[in-house]
Short mmCIF file of all heavy atoms in Angstrom, two decimals:
data_model
loop_
_atom_site.label_atom_id
_atom_site.label_comp_id
_atom_site.label_asym_id
_atom_site.label_seq_id
_atom_site.Cartn_x
_atom_site.Cartn_y
_atom_site.Cartn_z
N LYS V 131 119.42 72.84 181.21
CA LYS V 131 119.58 71.96 182.32
C LYS V 131 119.06 70.53 182.04
O LYS V 131 119.62 69.58 182.43
CB LYS V 131 118.87 72.53 183.55
CG LYS V 131 119.14 71.79 184.82
CD LYS V 131 118.46 72.47 186.02
CE LYS V 131 118.75 71.73 187.32
NZ LYS V 131 118.10 72.36 188.44
N SER V 132 117.95 70.48 181.29
CA SER V 132 117.41 69.14 180.97
C SER V 132 117.75 68.70 179.55
O SER V 132 117.14 67.75 179.03
CB SER V 132 115.86 69.25 181.09
OG SER V 132 115.37 70.19 180.19
N MET V 133 118.79 69.27 178.98
CA MET V 133 119.19 68.97 177.60
C MET V 133 119.60 67.46 177.44
O MET V 133 119.22 66.85 176.43
CB MET V 133 120.37 69.82 177.18
CG MET V 133 120.79 69.60 175.75
SD MET V 133 119.62 70.23 174.59
CE MET V 133 119.99 71.98 174.76
N ASP V 134 120.28 66.84 178.39
CA ASP V 134 120.65 65.45 178.26
C ASP V 134 119.42 64.55 178.16
O ASP V 134 119.33 63.66 177.36
CB ASP V 134 121.52 65.00 179.46
CG ASP V 134 122.92 65.60 179.38
OD1 ASP V 134 123.36 65.98 178.30
OD2 ASP V 134 123.61 65.64 180.43
N ASP V 135 118.43 64.83 179.05
CA ASP V 135 117.23 64.02 178.99
C ASP V 135 116.46 64.24 177.70
O ASP V 135 115.92 63.26 177.12
CB ASP V 135 116.29 64.40 180.19
CG ASP V 135 116.89 64.05 181.51
OD1 ASP V 135 117.70 63.08 181.54
OD2 ASP V 135 116.56 64.73 182.51
N ILE V 136 116.37 65.43 177.20
CA ILE V 136 115.70 65.71 175.97
C ILE V 136 116.36 65.03 174.80
O ILE V 136 115.71 64.41 173.95
CB ILE V 136 115.57 67.24 175.75
CG1 ILE V 136 114.78 67.93 176.84
CG2 ILE V 136 114.93 67.55 174.38
CD1 ILE V 136 114.85 69.41 176.78
N GLU V 137 117.69 65.14 174.74
CA GLU V 137 118.40 64.48 173.66
C GLU V 137 118.27 62.95 173.67
O GLU V 137 118.15 62.34 172.63
CB GLU V 137 119.85 64.91 173.67
CG GLU V 137 120.05 66.37 173.23
CD GLU V 137 121.50 66.78 173.31
OE1 GLU V 137 122.31 66.18 174.05
OE2 GLU V 137 121.83 67.83 172.69
N TYR V 138 118.27 62.38 174.86
CA TYR V 138 118.12 60.94 174.97
C TYR V 138 116.74 60.51 174.52
O TYR V 138 116.59 59.52 173.78
CB TYR V 138 118.36 60.49 176.42
CG TYR V 138 118.20 59.01 176.61
CD1 TYR V 138 119.11 58.11 176.02
CD2 TYR V 138 117.17 58.46 177.35
CE1 TYR V 138 118.95 56.77 176.20
CE2 TYR V 138 116.98 57.12 177.52
CZ TYR V 138 117.89 56.28 176.92
OH TYR V 138 117.78 54.94 177.09
N LEU V 139 115.73 61.26 174.95
CA LEU V 139 114.34 60.93 174.46
C LEU V 139 114.22 61.13 172.95
O LEU V 139 113.56 60.28 172.30
CB LEU V 139 113.33 61.78 175.23
CG LEU V 139 113.11 61.40 176.68
CD1 LEU V 139 112.26 62.45 177.38
CD2 LEU V 139 112.47 60.05 176.77
N ALA V 140 114.81 62.14 172.44
CA ALA V 140 114.76 62.37 170.98
C ALA V 140 115.46 61.27 170.23
O ALA V 140 115.03 60.87 169.17
CB ALA V 140 115.35 63.70 170.59
N TRP V 141 116.49 60.73 170.82
CA TRP V 141 117.24 59.64 170.21
C TRP V 141 116.40 58.31 170.20
O TRP V 141 116.45 57.58 169.24
CB TRP V 141 118.57 59.40 171.00
CG TRP V 141 119.34 58.20 170.53
CD1 TRP V 141 120.09 58.08 169.41
CD2 TRP V 141 119.41 56.94 171.19
NE1 TRP V 141 120.66 56.86 169.33
CE2 TRP V 141 120.28 56.14 170.49
CE3 TRP V 141 118.93 56.47 172.38
CZ2 TRP V 141 120.61 54.88 170.86
CZ3 TRP V 141 119.23 55.20 172.82
CH2 TRP V 141 120.08 54.41 172.04
N LYS V 142 115.61 58.14 171.25
CA LYS V 142 114.80 56.93 171.36
C LYS V 142 113.49 57.03 170.48
O LYS V 142 112.92 55.98 170.18
CB LYS V 142 114.36 56.71 172.79
CG LYS V 142 115.50 56.22 173.66
CD LYS V 142 115.10 56.16 175.13
CE LYS V 142 113.99 55.25 175.42
NZ LYS V 142 113.71 55.03 176.87
N LEU V 143 113.11 58.23 170.17
CA LEU V 143 111.87 58.42 169.40
C LEU V 143 112.10 58.58 167.92
O LEU V 143 113.28 58.74 167.49
CB LEU V 143 111.16 59.67 170.00
CG LEU V 143 110.62 59.51 171.44
CD1 LEU V 143 110.23 60.85 171.99
CD2 LEU V 143 109.50 58.52 171.50
N PRO V 144 111.08 58.61 167.09
CA PRO V 144 111.25 58.81 165.64
C PRO V 144 111.93 60.11 165.29
O PRO V 144 112.01 61.02 166.11
CB PRO V 144 109.83 58.78 165.13
CG PRO V 144 109.04 57.98 166.12
CD PRO V 144 109.67 58.27 167.43
N MET V 145 112.41 60.21 164.08
CA MET V 145 113.22 61.34 163.57
C MET V 145 112.54 62.68 163.72
O MET V 145 113.20 63.69 163.97
CB MET V 145 113.59 61.07 162.12
CG MET V 145 114.67 61.93 161.64
SD MET V 145 116.17 61.49 162.56
CE MET V 145 117.31 62.61 161.79
N ARG V 146 111.23 62.72 163.63
CA ARG V 146 110.51 63.99 163.72
C ARG V 146 110.73 64.65 165.11
O ARG V 146 110.70 65.87 165.16
CB ARG V 146 109.03 63.85 163.44
CG ARG V 146 108.28 63.00 164.40
CD ARG V 146 106.80 62.92 163.97
NE ARG V 146 106.05 62.12 164.92
CZ ARG V 146 105.84 60.80 164.71
NH1 ARG V 146 106.37 60.16 163.66
NH2 ARG V 146 105.13 60.10 165.61
N TYR V 147 111.00 63.90 166.10
CA TYR V 147 111.27 64.50 167.47
C TYR V 147 112.66 65.07 167.51
O TYR V 147 112.88 66.11 168.16
CB TYR V 147 111.05 63.43 168.54
CG TYR V 147 109.56 63.07 168.63
CD1 TYR V 147 109.14 61.84 168.09
CD2 TYR V 147 108.65 63.90 169.21
CE1 TYR V 147 107.80 61.50 168.16
CE2 TYR V 147 107.33 63.54 169.32
CZ TYR V 147 106.92 62.34 168.78
OH TYR V 147 105.59 61.96 168.82
#
Side-chain angles (χ1 to χ4, degrees):
K131 187 176 181 181
S132 61
M133 183 72 74
D134 287 340
D135 295 332
I136 298 170
E137 287 177 341
Y138 179 68
L139 287 171
W141 175 74
K142 287 173 61 173
L143 293 169
M145 195 65 180
R146 65 180 178 268
Y147 294 101

